[in-house]
Every structure is written in structure tokens, then in C-alpha cells.
Amino acid sequence: MSKTKVLIVEDQAMPRKMFEMTVKASDDFELAASIDNADLADIYCLNRGVDLIIMDVLTKDGASGLEASKKIKFKFPNIKIIVVTSMPEYSFIDYAKKIGVDSFCYKESMFDNILSVMKRTMDGEKVYPDEVPVISLGAALSTDFTRRELEVLKLMTGGYTNTEIGEKLFISLGTVKTHIQSMLDKTSFRNRTELAVKARESGIVILGYTEE
């Protein structure tokens, strides 16, 4: 029985090595290739007979693993994809499901069971976490924010003005300011700039890796 060929797309040395070691030690899987840039993944799918991809969300040179997955699912619908990330961005899971990604895992919780996730995915199971990891942002937890507040916060981290945020989300300027003040009250940050900087650093929202 032939082994399942795995493409690893990961730009961080430690998890990449862990994924490679897991694949090489398995009787069911073999390493087709290991690369650090998601924009090259579809080329490897064409030339290496890939069956399964372990795909990081954020890869070298800012290449998005989610957008690469979308492209691959369109071109090669039979290839299974497991998206992995260490970032708690709220929209990643929903977008992964929308574009047809087979499974989704957070790196911190999958290091001990990646082989199980790979086997379950190849057996046709959709493996997704029940919830996004909870992190702190100032005096607040990520679960303290509403979906709309997170949408506003994401655009803030991209440098958009309050007026531009209102236009993009089809809400009034006053509503934008209300959401920002609510987040400032929850986090105890001093001002809008501090809120945006800390949010960007935490990874609670990341602009540009999923469609708005």
C-alpha cells in the first residue's frame, strides 16, 4: 500500500522540524516536500503528487496559507489540507471552513496529536477546534469583545481612521467611536493608538490574511 505524500508549508524552524520528523517516522505517510512560502505550494502540488498539506497561516514574505489553500482547493480539490497556526485571530476558522479546508489546528494543542489529525483528515473527517484560544489584551480577555468590536479593532490595526472604518463596515462614525470606547474601557488602555498596537502584537486580530 502506497504512503500518503505530505507537503509541509511552515516558515518557523521548530514546528517545521516537528512536522517533518512526524511524517518521516510514520508508516503511513512520506514527505513530498517541506517549504517555507505558501505562494509556492500549488507548484509543488502539481509536480510532487501531494495528497495532504500541513499549511501554516502566516508564511515567509507574508504569504497567506489560507489564500494558498483556497487556490489549491480550486485546482486540486482531492488534496486534503490541514491549516495550522499559533495566532488566535477570530476569523481564521470561519474563513478556513468557507474555502473548504479539511482540518484546522492550533500548534500549541496539536504537537502531541498531529499524526492523529493527519489520519483522521485522510479518512475524511473534518477536524476543527471547538473555540479560539482565549488570550489577554490589557485588562480584558479576547472573549470579552463582541464580533463587531473585533471587526473595528482589526481595521484599527491596519491604520484606518474612524471614518474609514465606518465606511468599510457600513456603520456611523459615532458607532465606531462607541465601539472603540467600549474596548478602551474593557482593556484599560489609555488611548486608541495603544489599543491598536497591543492588539496587533497579541495576534487577536490580523489584517490581510482573510477576505473582508
Side-chain angles (χ1 to χ4, degrees):
M1 183 176 179
S2 60
K3 292 185 177 183
T4 298
K5 293 185 178 181
V6 181
L7 170 64
I8 296 169
V9 186
E10 169 65 69
D11 65 339
Q12 293 184 325
M14 191 276 284
R16 183 174 177 179
K17 179 61 66 176
M18 187 277 293
F19 294 143
E20 291 173 356
M21 291 174 61
T22 299
V23 171
K24 291 176 180 178
S26 170
D27 294 330
D28 300 312
F29 299 92
E30 68 176 271
L31 187 62
S34 181
I35 62 176
D36 59 9
N37 190 318
D39 286 344
L40 304 177
D42 59 328
I43 298 174
Y44 280 82
C45 290
L46 183 64
N47 297 327
R48 302 294 179 95
V50 174
D51 302 303
L52 172 67
I53 303 173
I54 300 174
M55 177 78 78
D56 191 16
V57 171
L58 312 181
T59 69
K60 186 177 179 181
D61 298 329
S64 168
L66 286 168
E67 292 307 316
S69 296
K70 180 180 179 181
K71 182 188 298 185
I72 289 166
K73 275 298 183 181
F74 179 78
K75 291 183 177 180
F76 313 99
N78 293 327
I79 293 179
K80 303 287 188 179
I81 301 177
I82 303 171
V83 163
V84 299
T85 187
S86 59
M87 309 300 285
E89 217 284 349
Y90 75 96
S91 66
F92 284 169
I93 291 178
D94 288 344
Y95 190 64
K97 290 179 179 179
K98 176 182 175 181
I99 62 177
V101 166
D102 299 277
S103 297
F104 186 106
C105 295
Y106 291 102
K107 293 177 186 177
E108 290 76 6
S109 63
M110 73 178 298
F111 285 159
D112 294 331
N113 68 347
I114 178 58
L115 190 60
S116 172
V117 174
M118 291 164 63
K119 290 179 178 179
R120 290 166 63 190
T121 300
M122 289 309 299
D123 285 340
E125 186 176 349
K126 300 285 188 180
V127 184
Y128 273 79
D130 294 326
E131 57 188 16
V132 176
V134 178
I135 63 169
S136 297
L137 185 62
L141 297 176
S142 51
T143 49
D144 294 333
F145 302 103
T146 67
R147 179 84 177 202
R148 180 60 89 184
E149 286 174 345
L150 290 172
E151 291 171 348
V152 171
L153 187 57
K154 177 184 285 193
L155 292 172
M156 285 173 58
T157 65
Y160 289 97
T161 66
N162 290 355
T163 299
E164 290 169 335
I165 292 172
E167 292 172 351
K168 283 184 171 293
L169 297 180
F170 302 103
I171 57 179
S172 69
L173 177 60
T175 300
V176 173
K177 291 180 178 179
T178 297
H179 286 311
I180 294 174
Q181 187 59 54
S182 175
M183 289 186 284
L184 289 173
D185 292 341
K186 291 174 181 178
T187 59
S188 296
F189 290 140
R190 294 166 297 179
N191 51 53
R192 184 188 191 281
T193 300
E194 184 180 14
L195 173 61
V197 170
K198 296 296 185 182
R200 187 186 303 115
E201 291 174 351
S202 74
I204 189 174
V205 287
I206 300 175
L207 185 67
Y209 289 91
T210 59
E211 290 180 345
E212 295 299 322

